[in-house]
Amino acid sequence: MAQTALLKSSIARKVAMALSGMFLVLFLGQHFFINFTSVFGPDNFNAISQFMGYNPLVQYIIQPILIFGIVFHFIMGIYLDIQNKNARPIKYAKNNGAANASWASRNMVLTGLVVLAFLGLHFYDFWVPEIAYKYVSVNEIVTDRYYDELVHKFHDPIRTGIYCLSFAVLAVHLWHGFASSFQSVGFSNKYSRGLSKFAYAFAVIVPLGFIFIALFHHFNH
């Protein structure tokens, strides 16, 4: 009875982990769409950023949920990794890891920590100045400042390189995580193969798109 309850609890945690990951993927896709508009010039990017930056629903409801989702996802990921390692027999650890699982699946915590560190840098670059501008300095609304702030961050080749490397690591993290999340929530049916292909495509295209944006602004401004 206790083992059954423990198994159900473990499954519930994995489902919660998968759902939080899917939520973050939705945000990532939306974030990519907005940033990609900057490639075509400042007008649309400034307009969308202005809307997102001053919309009460985004600022006071979606943004706190997003921050909670990030914290929850990474804490739960570390917890599940420790739980899985404690549940393995000792002899399993002596086996060839590559024969049991891919490098991406065996190093989800490592790639996740790199992504988390990058998020810290990204928050420092954009979110913290935005909060300070609106709520600390209490400046008047300037609708055309977002594009210049974005471009300015990619002047520095070191910072641009860090962004590109971080998105490459994100691609590795998504390659296993996004596809496996569909299995965790029970999409093991006739659509599972198509969903997996979509997840793999997303894991490659979106991070590469972010890398393109960073390099585009670095070399064109």
Side-chain angles (χ1 to χ4, degrees):
M1 193 74 171
Q3 289 182 342
T4 302
L6 184 63
L7 178 61
K8 289 182 178 179
S9 176
S10 178
I11 293 174
R13 291 191 186 97
K14 289 180 180 179
V15 171
M17 175 73 175
L19 290 175
S20 66
M22 288 179 172
F23 169 72
L24 295 179
V25 164
L26 285 175
F27 164 75
L28 184 67
Q30 171 256 337
H31 197 54
F32 169 69
F33 170 78
I34 294 174
N35 281 15
F36 193 73
T37 63
S38 68
V39 172
F40 303 101
D43 293 342
N44 288 332
F45 179 75
N46 280 329
I48 298 173
S49 299
Q50 163 74 17
F51 172 79
M52 298 295 289
Y54 288 91
N55 186 296
L57 176 64
V58 174
Q59 292 299 300
Y60 303 119
I61 298 179
I62 297 178
Q63 188 168 259
I65 293 174
L66 173 63
I67 294 173
F68 172 80
I70 292 172
V71 174
F72 175 85
H73 185 74
F74 283 98
I75 291 177
M76 186 60 69
I78 293 172
Y79 176 84
L80 288 174
D81 185 70
I82 294 173
Q83 187 181 57
N84 290 337
K85 287 179 179 178
N86 290 337
R88 291 170 186 163
I90 297 176
K91 63 180 181 179
Y92 180 82
K94 296 180 180 179
N95 289 343
N96 180 8
N100 299 310
S102 66
W103 188 93
S105 66
R106 288 182 286 113
N107 292 276
M108 286 296 287
V109 170
L110 175 61
T111 56
L113 289 174
V114 173
V115 173
L116 185 61
F118 163 70
L119 282 174
L121 173 64
H122 191 63
F123 273 38
Y124 173 79
D125 278 347
F126 295 101
W127 188 75
V128 172
E130 178 72 4
I131 295 300
Y133 183 92
K134 291 190 296 188
Y135 303 116
V136 179
S137 302
V138 195
N139 294 288
E140 64 180 25
I141 298 176
V142 179
T143 59
D144 59 352
R145 62 186 172 88
Y146 294 98
Y147 182 82
D148 291 336
E149 291 173 358
L150 173 70
V151 169
H152 175 72
K153 292 300 179 181
F154 294 120
H155 284 175
D156 182 3
I158 295 177
R159 192 176 234 87
T160 302
I162 292 173
Y163 268 74
C164 292
L165 179 61
S166 298
F167 281 119
V169 175
L170 175 62
V172 176
H173 190 79
L174 288 172
W175 182 262
H176 173 74
F178 192 18
S180 64
S181 66
F182 288 114
Q183 298 177 0
S184 297
V185 298
F187 284 127
S188 297
N189 50 39
K190 62 180 181 179
Y191 301 110
S192 60
R193 187 172 181 180
L195 290 172
S196 294
K197 289 182 178 180
F198 168 74
Y200 292 138
F202 185 97
V204 174
I205 294 172
V206 171
L208 281 179
F210 276 111
I211 291 173
F212 169 77
I213 293 168
L215 294 177
F216 176 86
H217 289 304
H218 176 71
F219 289 109
N220 287 278
H221 296 92

